[in-house]
Amino acid sequence: MTNQALKEEDLKYIWHPCSQMKDYETLPLVPIKSGKGVYLTDYDGNEYIDAISSWWVNIFGHSNEYINSRVKEQLDTLEHVIFAGFTHEPAVRLSKRLINLTASNLQKIFFADNGSSAVEIALKMAFQYHKNDGKVKDIFFSLKNSYHGETLGALAIGDVELYKDIYKDIMLKTVQVASPSLVDEDEAIEDFKKKLKEHEGRVSAIIIEPLVQCAGYMQMYDKSYIKKLKAICEEEGIFLIADEIAVGFGRTGELFVCDEEIKPDFLCLSKGLTGGYLPLSVVLTTNEVYQKFYCDYSEGKAFLHSHSYTGNPLGCAAANATLDIFENENIIEKNRAKVKKLEELLEKFKSLLNVKEVRQRGLIGAVELKGYKPEERIALKVYDYALKNGVLLRPLGHVVYFMPPFVITDKELEKVVQVAYEAITTLP
Amino acid sequence: MTNQALKEEDLKYIWHPCSQMKDYETLPLVPIKSGKGVYLTDYDGNEYIDAISSWWVNIFGHSNEYINSRVKEQLDTLEHVIFAGFTHEPAVRLSKRLINLTASNLQKIFFADNGSSAVEIALKMAFQYHKNDGKVKDIFFSLKNSYHGETLGALAIGDVELYKDIYKDIMLKTVQVASPSLVDEDEAIEDFKKKLKEHEGRVSAIIIEPLVQCAGYMQMYDKSYIKKLKAICEEEGIFLIADEIAVGFGRTGELFVCDEEIKPDFLCLSKGLTGGYLPLSVVLTTNEVYQKFYCDYSEGKAFLHSHSYTGNPLGCAAANATLDIFENENIIEKNRAKVKKLEELLEKFKSLLNVKEVRQRGLIGAVELKGYKPEERIALKVYDYALKNGVLLRPLGHVVYFMPPFVITDKELEKVVQVAYEAITTLP
């Protein structure tokens, strides 16, 4: 099999995600034969450093031997079983660990398959919590420039026009409040308060991506905003949903952003949860929320949401293996040196004339360019240049970013940043 | 580890799907240690025949050696890679095979992780197809008593009140037309025509579960309805979305219901797709639909939907292994004898005084009971009786059904049906 043969075969059949398929006429698909560590290898033998962790999911490298061994053991034991009425050790173990690793108020966990579904679950739980109390709170808040997934409910609560605008006639109405990533923190808080007043008594929850709006062009803000937001939420009886699907599992430097200082009412996790192996997501919530649904069946207050593969043992095995590595290898501590290294490497972008801003939170680095029109599609140019030089980058519009697997070495990180630097400095 | 220890640990942390958690006080969770073939084994050594294929997903038994071997190979090669801009052989091979196995008009495939997401993708594609043409067709039709998933869009298009009613204030408005499973086929068609007229020019698509409304209490209808429906859809320019998530992959006797005679515009598949191993779903559609999105990026007509794990190689490996078994072992032919066997076994329920109707389509059998009030919750009584006698049944309300893995032997099927018979005849 060659790259060419597989590409042709692919385009006969497959409609790829997040793609204008016509773009593949000029920017060919890359068929990957194998992965090992940070490297992806195509059928012609070219290697690419996966500097975006394959859409922010991979943590400990491709085809990681330890995770492989644990998933294989699970295959030989129990590949799957219905999770209503039944349970299994990989899910119980994972649940206990996640609950112990997150804020102390988060005491119950609900499973799903992908990030969008996790967000929908949090929205439905928040809504039904009030409904079980006889109140209809039909409005959800989110931040401007936010992204929370692609199913219609998740899409409705997001705010990236590119993904959402087309479907506005068939979506749940939501309200976006000012984001601290785009305006001053206090201004953002004022806007939240103002809009709360406008929709008094009708707001179920506000959902945020803590610290980094990843799909929203890697816009960043500080934890101080989240603290202020949480204080108001508590006062007003609004749930705070923390969508840490992209930023969780160490990306921002800490294991999770919303810790003991924040205590969110809901925490959504996915992506890195399985180390980049398998679709699995969870929603953690409080015992208080759980209790509002706990009663005799006849009261009709149960949360009846389900997906066929809820709590899939293979996904749970990959997730447990991922947490093993975090613990056994003291990853969060180890990563601090890498965060520092990335900070140093990003320094040299600041003086470039076509650079508007350099941003970083933990192991997420972003270089925002300026002076280009959308129709120039410079993202594709940077993507193309990097690929030809052995690095997988996938800029968002005019923002070139780095979100590497944690197993990346300093030397590999230097290469990644150097290739991005060359790509940016050779732009027309 | 014992059943008791794992149950207690579970209930500290886990909120189970489709469950009133309080029910577990009287009907304990079953912790499963391992699975092999049709058998699930708990920590106390009890065995259960999985007569519902673990929520209709398992096809060739638990911990199937052949599927295990293929997933293990994939683990050693490439566990996952981003599917935008990149591709891999397991997805290409699976896509080609599914396209060759389904109706000839279905020529493109889009990947997702679960059934709900697949339904949302089909809805979004149908809507955007018209939007790309400058038309807003904001209404979706479905059948009464239908079920299409749990994310808000998928939930909105379904019609099982139990799951949907609570959220009506935050859902997309949809229209349910009469179902041929509940009224005469021609009456159902007339209702469809009437409602089409009422919403003239605004209907994007109608979605159906071909032949069996599984979550809708295993209500069944004939293919002749689908043929009539498709003829009208074609005439009126309405898309037909076939949701074969539950009924696909041989459950009704044929590999898929909507074949060359029907030619649906969209076909959603999941559940059995990976043999019951991993969350993976696909939406197949026509080249005509695909072409409506295929243009220069600047036109803004691309389908930008994505999930992190879209096209997951491990899921594709399990799916390819599943298709290998279908082909190599001539499963559809072999199953005909099993369908006949089930038919014979169901016969004896017909004379029971508390049986209203016995239904069957392929390897899905259902016994509808009568004379019980909802608050009696006889489903739980049958579930409990069966578990104590080594069979996992999970009746829907007053409907006891069978949907076993295809590897079930005649003797095992006899046991399953016998236990159900005893459960039903010993009901108070």
Side-chain angles (χ1 to χ4, degrees):
Chain A
M1 188 69 81
T2 62
N3 276 8
Q4 190 55 32
L6 200 63
K7 265 189 289 190
E8 280 175 23
E9 194 86 340
D10 177 293
L11 291 175
K12 273 189 218 159
Y13 308 112
I14 300 179
W15 192 340
H16 284 266
C18 203
S19 300
Q20 170 48 263
M21 291 303 296
K22 193 168 190 287
D23 281 342
Y24 295 125
E25 289 180 9
T26 46
L27 215 61
L29 277 167
V30 183
I32 295 299
K33 187 178 178 184
S34 63
K36 195 74 208 165
V38 296
Y39 292 96
L40 296 165
T41 305
D42 70 18
Y43 282 81
D44 293 349
N46 304 303
E47 284 191 338
Y48 311 91
I49 297 179
D50 186 353
I52 59 157
S53 300
S54 276
W55 258 346
W56 325 338
V57 298
N58 192 286
I59 295 191
F60 297 124
H62 292 281
S63 200
N64 177 291
E65 271 171 42
Y66 179 71
I67 305 177
N68 282 0
S69 73
R70 302 314 305 263
V71 176
K72 286 177 187 178
E73 272 176 48
Q74 192 58 46
L75 280 163
D76 288 330
T77 313
L78 178 70
E79 83 305 338
H80 185 69
V81 65
I82 184 172
F83 206 56
F86 285 65
T87 190
H88 50 83
E89 198 264 344
V92 175
R93 182 155 177 258
L94 177 62
S95 300
K96 180 178 183 172
R97 297 173 88 177
L98 288 174
I99 282 169
N100 286 336
L101 287 167
T102 52
S104 61
N105 65 319
L106 298 171
Q107 291 171 35
K108 295 289 175 183
I109 191 166
F110 196 96
F111 283 86
D113 310 309
N114 57 24
S116 295
S117 301
V119 166
E120 301 252 351
I121 286 163
L123 297 177
K124 285 175 72 180
M125 278 185 179
F127 179 81
Q128 190 175 343
Y129 173 94
H130 298 295
K131 195 75 188 268
N132 282 354
D133 246 0
K135 294 174 203 140
V136 173
K137 302 207 175 192
D138 59 343
I139 292 175
F140 295 95
F141 277 14
S142 64
L143 300 186
K144 282 196 193 291
N145 189 49
S146 59
Y147 176 89
H148 299 285
E150 296 279 349
T151 49
L152 287 168
L155 193 62
I157 194 68
D159 185 47
V160 178
E161 263 188 35
L162 182 66
Y163 305 119
K164 183 179 174 180
D165 212 35
I166 284 169
Y167 311 102
K168 66 180 191 297
D169 297 297
I170 53 168
M171 282 191 314
L172 159 72
K173 299 294 176 265
T174 61
V175 174
Q176 279 66 54
V177 304
S179 171
S181 67
L182 303 176
V183 302
D184 177 75
E185 187 174 302
D186 289 325
E187 195 182 327
I189 287 290
E190 281 316 308
D191 190 56
F192 173 55
K193 284 187 189 164
K194 191 184 122 214
K195 289 195 169 121
L196 258 188
K197 193 150 257 168
E198 282 170 33
H199 300 280
E200 207 173 340
R202 284 184 63 190
V203 183
S204 271
I206 179 163
I207 185 168
I208 60 166
E209 296 153 281
L211 300 195
V212 189
Q213 296 184 314
C214 294
Y217 307 96
M218 298 292 162
Q219 293 288 355
M220 301 179 184
Y221 62 90
D222 295 328
K223 197 169 168 185
S224 50
Y225 169 79
I226 310 176
K227 286 191 219 170
K228 291 177 191 168
L229 184 71
K230 181 59 178 25
I232 302 167
C233 283
E234 218 152 287
E235 215 168 281
E236 303 283 337
I238 313 291
F239 286 123
L240 175 63
I241 305 173
D243 172 354
E244 297 208 22
I245 291 164
V247 301
F249 296 98
R251 293 281 178 205
T252 69
E254 302 304 325
L255 193 58
F256 304 111
V257 178
C258 288
D259 54 8
E260 216 47 29
E261 282 190 311
I262 306 292
K263 290 189 178 156
D265 303 292
F266 296 91
L267 176 65
C268 301
L269 302 173
S270 187
K271 289 194 183 272
L273 173 59
T274 58
Y277 268 63
L278 287 167
L280 181 75
S281 63
V282 293
V283 180
L284 289 97
T285 189
T286 65
N287 195 42
E288 193 214 332
V289 168
Y290 179 80
Q291 289 301 333
K292 190 67 82 181
F293 297 72
Y294 194 96
C295 58
D296 286 335
Y297 183 83
S298 58
E299 290 188 44
K301 292 181 175 177
F303 188 65
L304 294 181
H305 192 105
S306 69
H307 298 285
S308 311
Y309 287 92
T310 302
N312 178 248
L314 296 171
C316 290
N320 275 315
T322 300
L323 290 181
D324 289 346
I325 300 176
F326 266 109
E327 285 172 21
N328 298 340
E329 301 186 19
N330 205 10
I331 297 297
I332 295 296
E333 275 314 306
K334 264 198 207 160
N335 276 357
R336 302 211 195 282
K338 284 201 180 103
V339 172
K340 193 96 192 95
K341 177 78 184 172
L342 179 61
E343 197 181 329
E344 287 161 21
L345 290 171
L346 288 174
E347 198 55 40
K348 68 175 170 182
F349 289 92
K350 292 180 180 166
S351 55
L352 292 179
L353 288 175
N354 57 348
V355 168
K356 183 177 168 195
E357 191 180 45
V358 174
R359 298 188 283 270
Q360 187 188 1
R361 287 293 179 287
L363 274 169
I364 307 174
V367 177
E368 181 167 344
L369 305 181
K370 65 180 175 189
Y372 303 98
K373 290 178 192 141
E375 56 268 31
E376 291 180 70
R377 302 189 75 194
I378 52 161
L380 295 193
K381 289 172 189 159
V382 172
Y383 173 78
D384 193 32
Y385 181 93
L387 266 191
K388 284 178 176 140
N389 288 278
V391 176
L392 165 50
L393 293 175
R394 199 169 190 273
L396 292 155
H398 51 305
V399 178
V400 179
Y401 72 88
F402 312 101
M403 204 190 289
F406 300 166
V407 291
I408 197 165
T409 63
D410 281 1
K411 217 174 142 199
E412 286 156 351
L413 193 59
E414 281 166 19
K415 177 174 175 175
V416 162
V417 174
Q418 180 57 26
V419 166
Y421 187 82
E422 288 166 17
I424 290 171
T425 49
T426 55
L427 277 174
Chain B
M1 188 70 81
T2 61
N3 276 7
Q4 190 55 33
L6 201 62
K7 265 188 293 190
E8 278 175 23
E9 193 86 340
D10 177 295
L11 290 175
K12 273 190 220 160
Y13 307 113
I14 300 179
W15 192 339
H16 283 265
C18 204
S19 299
Q20 169 49 262
M21 292 301 297
K22 192 167 191 287
D23 281 343
Y24 295 125
E25 289 180 11
T26 45
L27 217 59
L29 277 167
V30 183
I32 295 299
K33 185 179 180 184
S34 63
K36 196 73 206 164
V38 296
Y39 292 97
L40 295 165
T41 306
D42 69 19
Y43 281 80
D44 293 349
N46 303 303
E47 284 191 338
Y48 311 91
I49 297 179
D50 187 353
I52 59 156
S53 300
S54 274
W55 256 346
W56 324 339
V57 298
N58 191 285
I59 295 189
F60 298 125
H62 292 282
S63 199
N64 177 292
E65 272 172 40
Y66 179 72
I67 304 177
N68 281 359
S69 72
R70 301 315 303 265
V71 176
K72 288 178 187 176
E73 273 176 48
Q74 193 56 48
L75 279 164
D76 288 329
T77 313
L78 178 70
E79 85 302 341
H80 185 69
V81 65
I82 184 171
F83 207 55
F86 286 66
T87 190
H88 50 83
E89 199 263 345
V92 175
R93 180 152 177 260
L94 177 62
S95 300
K96 181 177 182 173
R97 296 173 89 178
L98 288 174
I99 282 169
N100 286 336
L101 286 167
T102 51
S104 61
N105 65 318
L106 298 171
Q107 290 171 34
K108 296 288 174 184
I109 190 166
F110 195 96
F111 282 86
D113 310 310
N114 56 24
S116 295
S117 301
V119 166
E120 300 254 351
I121 286 163
L123 297 178
K124 286 175 69 180
M125 278 185 179
F127 179 80
Q128 190 175 344
Y129 174 95
H130 297 296
K131 194 74 186 271
N132 282 353
D133 246 0
K135 293 173 204 142
V136 173
K137 300 206 176 192
D138 58 343
I139 293 175
F140 296 96
F141 276 17
S142 64
L143 300 187
K144 282 195 191 297
N145 189 50
S146 59
Y147 176 89
H148 298 286
E150 296 279 351
T151 51
L152 287 168
L155 192 63
I157 194 67
D159 185 47
V160 179
E161 264 188 35
L162 182 64
Y163 305 119
K164 183 178 171 178
D165 212 34
I166 285 169
Y167 311 102
K168 65 179 189 299
D169 298 297
I170 53 169
M171 282 192 312
L172 159 73
K173 299 292 177 267
T174 61
V175 173
Q176 279 65 55
V177 304
S179 170
S181 68
L182 304 175
V183 302
D184 177 75
E185 185 174 303
D186 290 323
E187 195 182 327
I189 287 290
E190 280 316 306
D191 190 56
F192 174 55
K193 283 187 190 166
K194 191 185 121 212
K195 291 197 168 121
L196 258 188
K197 192 150 258 167
E198 282 170 31
H199 300 280
E200 208 173 340
R202 284 184 63 188
V203 183
S204 271
I206 180 163
I207 184 168
I208 59 166
E209 296 153 280
L211 300 194
V212 189
Q213 296 183 315
C214 294
Y217 307 96
M218 298 289 163
Q219 293 289 354
M220 302 179 183
Y221 61 91
D222 294 329
K223 198 169 167 186
S224 49
Y225 169 77
I226 311 177
K227 285 191 218 172
K228 290 176 191 170
L229 184 71
K230 180 61 178 24
I232 300 167
C233 284
E234 216 151 289
E235 216 168 280
E236 303 282 339
I238 313 291
F239 287 124
L240 176 63
I241 304 172
D243 171 355
E244 297 208 22
I245 290 164
V247 301
F249 296 98
R251 294 280 178 203
T252 68
E254 302 303 324
L255 192 59
F256 305 111
V257 178
C258 288
D259 55 8
E260 216 46 30
E261 282 191 309
I262 306 290
K263 289 189 178 156
D265 302 292
F266 296 92
L267 177 65
C268 301
L269 302 173
S270 187
K271 289 193 183 274
L273 173 60
T274 59
Y277 267 62
L278 287 166
L280 180 74
S281 64
V282 293
V283 179
L284 289 97
T285 189
T286 66
N287 195 42
E288 192 214 332
V289 168
Y290 179 81
Q291 289 301 333
K292 190 69 81 183
F293 297 72
Y294 194 96
C295 58
D296 287 335
Y297 183 82
S298 58
E299 290 187 44
K301 292 180 175 177
F303 188 66
L304 294 180
H305 191 106
S306 68
H307 297 286
S308 311
Y309 287 92
T310 303
N312 178 246
L314 297 171
C316 290
N320 275 314
T322 301
L323 290 182
D324 288 347
I325 300 175
F326 267 108
E327 283 171 23
N328 298 340
E329 301 186 20
N330 205 11
I331 297 297
I332 297 295
E333 275 314 307
K334 263 199 206 159
N335 276 355
R336 301 210 196 282
K338 283 198 181 109
V339 172
K340 194 95 192 97
K341 178 76 185 176
L342 179 60
E343 197 181 329
E344 288 161 22
L345 291 171
L346 288 174
E347 196 56 38
K348 67 173 169 183
F349 289 92
K350 292 180 181 169
S351 55
L352 292 178
L353 288 175
N354 57 347
V355 168
K356 184 178 169 195
E357 191 180 45
V358 174
R359 299 187 284 270
Q360 187 189 0
R361 287 295 180 284
L363 273 169
I364 307 174
V367 177
E368 181 168 346
L369 305 181
K370 65 180 175 189
Y372 302 99
K373 291 178 190 139
E375 56 269 30
E376 291 181 70
R377 303 189 72 193
I378 52 161
L380 295 192
K381 289 172 187 159
V382 172
Y383 172 80
D384 192 35
Y385 182 94
L387 267 190
K388 284 179 175 136
N389 288 277
V391 176
L392 164 51
L393 292 176
R394 200 170 189 272
L396 293 155
H398 51 305
V399 177
V400 179
Y401 72 88
F402 311 100
M403 203 188 292
F406 300 166
V407 290
I408 197 166
T409 62
D410 280 4
K411 217 175 142 200
E412 287 156 350
L413 193 58
E414 280 166 19
K415 175 174 177 179
V416 162
V417 174
Q418 180 58 29
V419 166
Y421 187 83
E422 287 165 17
I424 291 172
T425 50
T426 56
L427 277 173

